[in-house]
Amino acid sequence: ETGVTQTPRHLVMGMTNKKSLKCEQHLGHNAMYWYKQSAKKPLELMFVYNFKEQTENNSVPSRFSPECPNSSHLFLHLHTLQPEDSALYLCASSRLGTSGGSETQYFGPGTRLLVL
Amino acid sequence: TQLLEQSPQFLSIQEGENLTVYCNSSSVFSSLQWYRQEPGEGPVLLVTVVTGGEVKKLKRLTFQFGDARKDSSLHITAAQPGDTGLYLCAGGSEKLVFGKGMKLTVNP
């Protein structure tokens, strides 16, 4: 138990569906992240939020839409996904260091997404 | 663009054997982190190394950060089936860069 929870743990959706992934951190952190983990590829950073403000969008297609209502919650809204979007989606959180960089990132268990 | 190359990518060994995993880059990192990920779970931090030449030990795991802070290694002594998993190295500050990982299987 890392203090970062994600729901749902598994999700199957069609290409026309709209769904949302939820992440919650109980660590008092002020930075949150979405990563995509596909087979045979390194973990890919998708989005970064610092103090609820998006500071990084790593060229992610618009069919992925993040939302960070407060520093403890992070959502990833999904619509009209493609089969190649099937992957493990990981949420992480960290504190921001005094120099502006992040400290250790703690990961949630991930949501295994299958797009049919 | 900072890249981290891990080798080997796959390793299957018998219980009791020793192994070393390497994480290499042409870039200098202020720190490197090692994670272990089990199937269906997120990565769990094992250690962070920050000083060139630093060696850290975590039970049977020994982590070393290269003098130039461009590479790191993880050595496991007397591997156990419970060590099975994906070992990831990562570097950077706000934007972590991950290697592809080394998938370790330890057979009883």
Side-chain angles (χ1 to χ4, degrees), chain B residues 11-78:
Chain B
L11 191 59
S12 180
I13 60 173
Q14 294 301 120
E15 182 176 0
E17 291 186 38
N18 303 330
L19 67 119
T20 302
V21 186
Y22 298 94
C23 177
N24 297 299
S25 176
S26 57
S27 304
V28 175
F29 287 90
S30 57
S31 66
L32 275 180
Q33 301 171 6
W34 284 93
Y35 291 82
R36 179 167 160 264
Q37 184 177 18
E38 296 190 25
E41 300 294 331
V44 176
L45 181 71
L46 295 174
V47 78
T48 300
V49 286
V50 297
T51 306
E54 180 178 8
V55 176
K56 282 191 174 180
K57 290 193 174 184
L58 186 65
K59 296 183 180 178
R60 294 176 291 100
L61 278 60
T62 302
F63 304 86
Q64 185 161 7
F65 200 11
D67 292 340
R69 292 185 289 129
K70 292 183 178 181
D71 55 84
S72 181
S73 64
L74 158 59
H75 182 79
I76 301 179
T77 304

Coordinates of all heavy atoms in Angstrom, one line a residue, chain B residues 11-78:
Chain B
L11 N 15.8 -12.0 -17.7 CA 16.7 -12.9 -17.0 C 15.9 -14.0 -16.2 O 15.0 -13.6 -15.5 CB 17.6 -12.1 -16.1 CG 18.8 -12.9 -15.5 CD1 19.7 -13.4 -16.6 CD2 19.6 -12.0 -14.5
S12 N 16.2 -15.2 -16.5 CA 15.6 -16.3 -15.8 C 16.7 -17.1 -15.1 O 17.6 -17.7 -15.8 CB 14.8 -17.2 -16.7 OG 14.2 -18.2 -16.0
I13 N 16.7 -17.2 -13.8 CA 17.7 -17.9 -13.0 C 17.1 -18.8 -12.0 O 15.9 -18.8 -11.7 CB 18.7 -16.8 -12.3 CG1 17.9 -16.0 -11.3 CG2 19.4 -16.0 -13.4 CD1 18.7 -15.1 -10.5
Q14 N 18.0 -19.6 -11.4 CA 17.6 -20.5 -10.3 C 17.8 -19.8 -9.0 O 18.7 -19.0 -8.8 CB 18.4 -21.8 -10.4 CG 18.2 -22.6 -11.6 CD 16.7 -23.1 -11.7 OE1 16.0 -22.8 -12.7 NE2 16.2 -23.8 -10.7
E15 N 17.0 -20.2 -8.1 CA 17.1 -19.7 -6.7 C 18.5 -19.9 -6.2 O 19.2 -21.0 -6.4 CB 16.1 -20.5 -5.8 CG 16.1 -20.0 -4.3 CD 15.0 -20.8 -3.5 OE1 14.3 -21.6 -4.1 OE2 14.9 -20.5 -2.3
G16 N 19.1 -18.9 -5.5 CA 20.4 -19.0 -5.0 C 21.5 -18.3 -5.8 O 22.6 -18.1 -5.4
E17 N 21.2 -18.1 -7.1 CA 22.2 -17.5 -8.0 C 22.2 -16.0 -7.8 O 21.3 -15.4 -7.2 CB 21.8 -17.7 -9.5 CG 21.9 -19.2 -9.9 CD 21.7 -19.3 -11.4 OE1 22.1 -18.5 -12.2 OE2 21.0 -20.3 -11.8
N18 N 23.4 -15.4 -8.2 CA 23.6 -13.9 -8.1 C 23.3 -13.3 -9.5 O 23.4 -14.0 -10.5 CB 25.0 -13.6 -7.7 CG 25.3 -14.2 -6.4 OD1 24.5 -14.4 -5.5 ND2 26.6 -14.5 -6.2
L19 N 23.0 -12.0 -9.5 CA 22.8 -11.4 -10.8 C 23.0 -9.9 -10.7 O 23.0 -9.3 -9.5 CB 21.3 -11.6 -11.3 CG 20.3 -10.9 -10.4 CD1 19.5 -9.8 -11.2 CD2 19.3 -11.9 -9.8
T20 N 23.3 -9.3 -11.8 CA 23.6 -7.8 -11.8 C 22.8 -7.2 -13.0 O 22.8 -7.8 -14.1 CB 25.0 -7.5 -12.0 OG1 25.8 -8.1 -10.9 CG2 25.3 -6.0 -12.0
V21 N 22.1 -6.1 -12.7 CA 21.3 -5.4 -13.7 C 22.0 -4.1 -13.9 O 22.4 -3.4 -12.9 CB 19.9 -5.1 -13.3 CG1 19.1 -4.5 -14.4 CG2 19.2 -6.4 -12.8
Y22 N 22.1 -3.6 -15.2 CA 22.8 -2.4 -15.5 C 21.8 -1.3 -16.0 O 20.9 -1.7 -16.8 CB 23.9 -2.6 -16.5 CG 25.0 -3.5 -15.9 CD1 24.9 -4.9 -16.2 CD2 26.0 -3.1 -15.1 CE1 25.9 -5.8 -15.7 CE2 27.0 -3.9 -14.6 CZ 26.9 -5.3 -14.9 OH 27.8 -6.1 -14.4
C23 N 22.1 -0.1 -15.7 CA 21.3 1.0 -16.2 C 22.3 2.1 -16.7 O 23.0 2.6 -15.9 CB 20.4 1.6 -15.0 SG 19.4 3.0 -15.4
N24 N 22.3 2.4 -18.0 CA 23.3 3.2 -18.6 C 22.7 4.4 -19.4 O 21.6 4.2 -20.0 CB 24.2 2.4 -19.5 CG 25.0 1.4 -18.8 OD1 25.7 1.6 -17.9 ND2 24.7 0.1 -19.1
S25 N 23.4 5.5 -19.4 CA 22.9 6.7 -20.1 C 24.1 7.5 -20.6 O 25.2 7.4 -20.0 CB 22.0 7.5 -19.2 OG 21.6 8.7 -19.9
S26 N 23.9 8.3 -21.6 CA 25.0 9.2 -22.0 C 24.8 10.5 -21.3 O 25.6 11.4 -21.4 CB 24.9 9.4 -23.5 OG 23.7 9.9 -23.9
S27 N 23.7 10.7 -20.5 CA 23.4 11.9 -19.8 C 23.7 11.8 -18.4 O 23.7 10.7 -17.8 CB 21.9 12.3 -20.0 OG 21.5 12.3 -21.3
V28 N 24.0 12.9 -17.8 CA 24.3 13.0 -16.3 C 22.9 13.2 -15.6 O 22.1 14.0 -16.0 CB 25.2 14.1 -16.0 CG1 25.4 14.2 -14.4 CG2 26.6 13.9 -16.6
F29 N 22.7 12.4 -14.6 CA 21.5 12.5 -13.8 C 21.8 13.0 -12.4 O 22.8 12.6 -11.8 CB 20.7 11.2 -13.7 CG 20.1 10.8 -15.0 CD1 20.7 10.1 -15.9 CD2 18.8 11.2 -15.2 CE1 20.1 9.7 -17.1 CE2 18.1 10.8 -16.4 CZ 18.8 10.1 -17.3
S30 N 21.0 13.9 -11.8 CA 21.2 14.3 -10.5 C 21.0 13.2 -9.5 O 21.5 13.2 -8.4 CB 20.3 15.5 -10.2 OG 19.0 15.2 -10.4
S31 N 20.1 12.3 -9.8 CA 19.8 11.1 -9.0 C 19.2 10.0 -9.9 O 18.7 10.3 -11.0 CB 18.8 11.5 -7.9 OG 17.6 11.8 -8.4
L32 N 19.4 8.8 -9.4 CA 18.7 7.7 -10.1 C 17.9 6.9 -9.1 O 18.4 6.7 -7.9 CB 19.8 6.8 -10.8 CG 20.3 7.2 -12.2 CD1 21.3 6.2 -12.7 CD2 19.1 7.2 -13.2
Q33 N 16.8 6.4 -9.6 CA 16.0 5.6 -8.7 C 15.8 4.2 -9.3 O 15.8 4.0 -10.5 CB 14.6 6.3 -8.5 CG 14.7 7.7 -7.9 CD 13.4 8.4 -8.0 OE1 12.4 7.9 -8.3 NE2 13.5 9.7 -7.6
W34 N 15.7 3.2 -8.4 CA 15.4 1.8 -8.8 C 14.0 1.5 -8.2 O 13.7 1.7 -7.0 CB 16.4 0.9 -8.3 CG 17.7 0.9 -9.1 CD1 18.8 1.6 -8.8 CD2 18.0 0.1 -10.2 NE1 19.8 1.4 -9.7 CE2 19.3 0.5 -10.6 CE3 17.3 -0.8 -11.0 CZ2 19.9 -0.1 -11.7 CZ3 17.9 -1.3 -12.1 CH2 19.2 -1.0 -12.5
Y35 N 13.2 0.9 -9.1 CA 11.8 0.5 -8.7 C 11.7 -1.0 -9.0 O 12.3 -1.6 -9.9 CB 10.7 1.2 -9.5 CG 10.6 2.7 -9.2 CD1 11.4 3.6 -9.8 CD2 9.5 3.1 -8.4 CE1 11.2 5.0 -9.5 CE2 9.4 4.4 -8.1 CZ 10.2 5.4 -8.7 OH 10.0 6.7 -8.4
R36 N 10.8 -1.7 -8.3 CA 10.4 -3.1 -8.6 C 8.9 -3.1 -8.8 O 8.2 -2.5 -8.0 CB 10.8 -4.0 -7.5 CG 10.4 -5.5 -7.7 CD 11.1 -6.4 -6.7 NE 10.4 -7.6 -6.6 CZ 9.5 -7.9 -5.7 NH1 9.2 -7.0 -4.8 NH2 8.9 -9.1 -5.7
Q37 N 8.5 -3.7 -9.9 CA 7.1 -3.8 -10.2 C 6.7 -5.2 -10.4 O 7.3 -6.0 -11.1 CB 6.8 -3.0 -11.5 CG 5.3 -2.9 -11.9 CD 5.1 -2.1 -13.1 OE1 6.0 -1.9 -13.9 NE2 3.9 -1.7 -13.3
E38 N 5.6 -5.6 -9.7 CA 5.1 -7.0 -9.8 C 3.9 -6.9 -10.7 O 3.3 -5.8 -10.9 CB 4.6 -7.5 -8.4 CG 5.8 -7.6 -7.5 CD 5.4 -8.4 -6.2 OE1 4.5 -9.2 -6.2 OE2 6.1 -8.2 -5.2
P39 N 3.6 -8.0 -11.4 CA 2.5 -8.0 -12.4 C 1.2 -7.5 -11.8 O 0.8 -7.8 -10.7 CB 2.3 -9.5 -12.7 CG 3.7 -10.1 -12.4 CD 4.2 -9.3 -11.3
G40 N 0.5 -6.6 -12.5 CA -0.7 -6.0 -12.1 C -0.6 -4.9 -11.0 O -1.7 -4.5 -10.5
E41 N 0.6 -4.5 -10.7 CA 0.8 -3.5 -9.7 C 1.6 -2.4 -10.2 O 2.2 -2.5 -11.3 CB 1.5 -4.1 -8.4 CG 0.7 -5.2 -7.8 CD -0.6 -4.8 -7.2 OE1 -0.7 -3.6 -6.7 OE2 -1.6 -5.6 -7.1
G42 N 1.7 -1.3 -9.5 CA 2.5 -0.2 -9.9 C 3.9 -0.3 -9.3 O 4.2 -1.2 -8.5
P43 N 4.9 0.4 -9.9 CA 6.3 0.3 -9.4 C 6.4 0.8 -8.0 O 5.7 1.7 -7.5 CB 7.0 1.3 -10.3 CG 6.1 1.5 -11.5 CD 4.7 1.3 -11.0
V44 N 7.2 0.1 -7.2 CA 7.5 0.4 -5.8 C 9.0 0.8 -5.7 O 9.8 0.1 -6.2 CB 7.2 -0.8 -4.9 CG1 7.6 -0.4 -3.5 CG2 5.7 -1.1 -5.0
L45 N 9.2 2.0 -5.1 CA 10.6 2.5 -5.0 C 11.4 1.6 -4.1 O 11.0 1.2 -3.0 CB 10.6 3.9 -4.5 CG 11.9 4.5 -4.3 CD1 12.5 4.9 -5.7 CD2 11.9 5.8 -3.5
L46 N 12.6 1.2 -4.6 CA 13.6 0.4 -3.8 C 14.6 1.4 -3.2 O 14.9 1.3 -2.0 CB 14.3 -0.6 -4.7 CG 13.4 -1.7 -5.2 CD1 14.2 -2.6 -6.2 CD2 12.8 -2.6 -4.1
V47 N 15.2 2.2 -4.0 CA 16.2 3.1 -3.5 C 16.4 4.3 -4.4 O 16.1 4.2 -5.6 CB 17.6 2.3 -3.4 CG1 18.2 2.1 -4.8 CG2 18.6 2.9 -2.5
T48 N 17.0 5.4 -3.9 CA 17.4 6.5 -4.7 C 18.9 6.7 -4.4 O 19.3 6.7 -3.2 CB 16.6 7.8 -4.3 OG1 15.3 7.6 -4.5 CG2 17.1 9.0 -5.1
V49 N 19.7 6.9 -5.4 CA 21.1 7.2 -5.3 C 21.4 8.6 -5.9 O 20.8 8.9 -6.9 CB 22.0 6.1 -6.0 CG1 22.1 4.8 -5.2 CG2 21.6 5.8 -7.4
V50 N 22.1 9.4 -5.1 CA 22.3 10.8 -5.5 C 23.7 11.2 -5.6 O 24.0 12.2 -6.3 CB 21.6 11.7 -4.5 CG1 20.1 11.5 -4.5 CG2 22.2 11.5 -3.1
T51 N 24.7 10.5 -5.0 CA 26.1 10.9 -5.1 C 26.9 10.0 -6.0 O 26.8 8.8 -5.8 CB 26.6 10.9 -3.6 OG1 25.8 11.7 -2.8 CG2 28.1 11.4 -3.6
G52 N 27.7 10.5 -6.8 CA 28.5 9.7 -7.7 C 29.4 8.8 -6.9 O 30.0 9.2 -5.9
G53 N 29.4 7.5 -7.3 CA 30.2 6.5 -6.5 C 29.4 5.9 -5.3 O 30.0 5.0 -4.7
E54 N 28.3 6.4 -5.1 CA 27.5 5.9 -3.9 C 27.1 4.4 -4.0 O 26.8 4.0 -5.1 CB 26.3 6.8 -3.7 CG 25.4 6.4 -2.6 CD 24.2 7.4 -2.4 OE1 24.0 8.2 -3.4 OE2 23.4 7.3 -1.4
V55 N 27.2 3.7 -2.9 CA 26.8 2.3 -2.8 C 25.7 2.3 -1.7 O 26.0 2.7 -0.6 CB 27.9 1.4 -2.5 CG1 27.4 -0.1 -2.4 CG2 28.9 1.4 -3.7
K56 N 24.6 1.7 -2.0 CA 23.5 1.5 -1.0 C 23.2 0.0 -1.0 O 23.1 -0.6 -2.0 CB 22.3 2.3 -1.3 CG 22.5 3.8 -0.9 CD 21.1 4.5 -0.9 CE 21.2 5.9 -0.4 NZ 19.9 6.6 -0.5
K57 N 22.9 -0.5 0.2 CA 22.5 -1.9 0.4 C 21.2 -2.0 1.0 O 20.8 -1.3 2.0 CB 23.6 -2.7 1.2 CG 24.9 -2.8 0.5 CD 25.8 -3.9 1.3 CE 27.0 -4.1 0.5 NZ 27.9 -5.2 1.1
L58 N 20.4 -2.9 0.5 CA 19.0 -3.2 1.0 C 18.9 -4.7 1.1 O 18.6 -5.3 0.1 CB 18.0 -2.6 0.0 CG 16.5 -2.6 0.5 CD1 16.3 -1.8 1.7 CD2 15.6 -2.2 -0.7
K59 N 19.3 -5.2 2.2 CA 19.3 -6.7 2.4 C 20.2 -7.3 1.4 O 21.4 -7.1 1.4 CB 17.9 -7.3 2.4 CG 17.0 -6.7 3.6 CD 15.6 -7.4 3.6 CE 14.8 -6.8 4.7 NZ 13.4 -7.4 4.7
R60 N 19.7 -8.1 0.5 CA 20.5 -8.8 -0.5 C 20.7 -8.0 -1.8 O 21.3 -8.5 -2.7 CB 19.8 -10.2 -0.8 CG 19.8 -11.2 0.3 CD 19.1 -12.5 -0.1 NE 17.6 -12.2 -0.2 CZ 17.0 -12.0 -1.4 NH1 17.8 -12.1 -2.5 NH2 15.7 -11.8 -1.5
L61 N 20.2 -6.8 -1.8 CA 20.3 -5.9 -3.0 C 21.4 -4.9 -2.7 O 21.3 -4.2 -1.7 CB 19.0 -5.2 -3.3 CG 17.9 -6.0 -4.0 CD1 17.5 -7.3 -3.3 CD2 16.7 -5.2 -4.3
T62 N 22.3 -4.7 -3.7 CA 23.3 -3.7 -3.6 C 23.2 -2.8 -4.8 O 23.2 -3.2 -6.0 CB 24.7 -4.3 -3.6 OG1 24.8 -5.2 -2.4 CG2 25.8 -3.2 -3.4
F63 N 23.1 -1.5 -4.6 CA 22.9 -0.5 -5.6 C 24.1 0.4 -5.7 O 24.7 0.8 -4.7 CB 21.7 0.4 -5.3 CG 20.4 -0.4 -5.1 CD1 20.1 -0.9 -3.9 CD2 19.5 -0.6 -6.2 CE1 18.9 -1.6 -3.7 CE2 18.3 -1.2 -6.0 CZ 18.0 -1.8 -4.8
Q64 N 24.6 0.7 -6.9 CA 25.7 1.5 -7.1 C 25.4 2.6 -8.1 O 24.8 2.3 -9.1 CB 27.0 0.7 -7.5 CG 28.2 1.5 -7.5 CD 29.5 0.7 -7.5 OE1 29.4 -0.6 -7.6 NE2 30.6 1.3 -7.4
F65 N 25.9 3.8 -7.8 CA 25.7 4.9 -8.8 C 27.1 5.2 -9.3 O 28.1 5.3 -8.5 CB 25.2 6.2 -8.0 CG 24.6 7.2 -8.9 CD1 24.3 7.0 -10.2 CD2 24.3 8.5 -8.3 CE1 23.7 8.0 -11.0 CE2 23.7 9.4 -9.1 CZ 23.4 9.2 -10.4
G66 N 27.2 5.3 -10.6 CA 28.5 5.5 -11.2 C 29.2 6.9 -10.8 O 28.5 7.8 -10.5
D67 N 30.5 6.9 -10.9 CA 31.2 8.1 -10.4 C 30.8 9.3 -11.2 O 30.7 10.4 -10.7 CB 32.7 7.9 -10.6 CG 33.3 6.9 -9.7 OD1 32.6 6.6 -8.6 OD2 34.4 6.4 -9.9
A68 N 30.5 9.1 -12.5 CA 30.1 10.3 -13.4 C 28.6 10.5 -13.3 O 28.1 11.4 -14.1 CB 30.5 10.0 -14.8
R69 N 27.9 9.7 -12.6 CA 26.4 9.9 -12.4 C 25.7 9.7 -13.7 O 24.7 10.3 -14.0 CB 26.0 11.2 -11.8 CG 26.4 11.2 -10.3 CD 25.9 12.5 -9.6 NE 26.6 13.7 -10.0 CZ 26.0 14.8 -10.5 NH1 24.7 14.9 -10.5 NH2 26.7 15.8 -10.8
K70 N 26.2 8.7 -14.6 CA 25.6 8.4 -15.9 C 25.1 7.0 -15.9 O 24.4 6.6 -16.8 CB 26.5 8.6 -17.0 CG 27.0 10.0 -17.3 CD 27.9 10.0 -18.5 CE 28.3 11.4 -18.9 NZ 29.2 11.5 -20.1
D71 N 25.4 6.2 -14.9 CA 25.0 4.8 -14.9 C 24.8 4.3 -13.5 O 25.3 4.9 -12.5 CB 26.1 4.0 -15.6 CG 27.5 4.1 -15.0 OD1 27.8 3.5 -14.0 OD2 28.2 5.0 -15.6
S72 N 24.2 3.2 -13.4 CA 23.9 2.6 -12.1 C 23.8 1.1 -12.3 O 23.5 0.6 -13.4 CB 22.6 3.1 -11.5 OG 22.4 2.6 -10.2
S73 N 24.0 0.3 -11.2 CA 23.9 -1.1 -11.2 C 23.1 -1.6 -10.0 O 23.2 -1.0 -8.9 CB 25.2 -1.8 -11.4 OG 26.0 -1.6 -10.2
L74 N 22.4 -2.7 -10.2 CA 21.7 -3.4 -9.1 C 22.3 -4.8 -9.0 O 22.1 -5.5 -10.0 CB 20.2 -3.4 -9.3 CG 19.4 -4.4 -8.6 CD1 19.5 -4.3 -7.1 CD2 17.9 -4.3 -9.0
H75 N 22.8 -5.2 -7.9 CA 23.3 -6.6 -7.8 C 22.4 -7.3 -6.7 O 22.2 -6.8 -5.6 CB 24.8 -6.6 -7.3 CG 25.3 -8.0 -7.2 ND1 25.8 -8.7 -8.2 CD2 25.6 -8.7 -6.1 CE1 26.2 -9.9 -7.8 NE2 26.1 -9.9 -6.5
I76 N 21.9 -8.5 -7.1 CA 21.2 -9.3 -6.1 C 21.9 -10.5 -5.8 O 22.4 -11.3 -6.7 CB 19.8 -9.7 -6.7 CG1 19.0 -8.4 -7.1 CG2 19.0 -10.5 -5.7 CD1 17.6 -8.7 -7.7
T77 N 22.1 -10.7 -4.5 CA 22.9 -11.9 -4.0 C 21.9 -13.0 -3.6 O 20.9 -12.7 -2.9 CB 23.8 -11.5 -2.8 OG1 24.6 -10.5 -3.2 CG2 24.6 -12.7 -2.4
A78 N 22.2 -14.2 -4.0 CA 21.3 -15.4 -3.6 C 19.8 -15.1 -3.8 O 19.0 -15.0 -2.9 CB 21.6 -15.7 -2.1

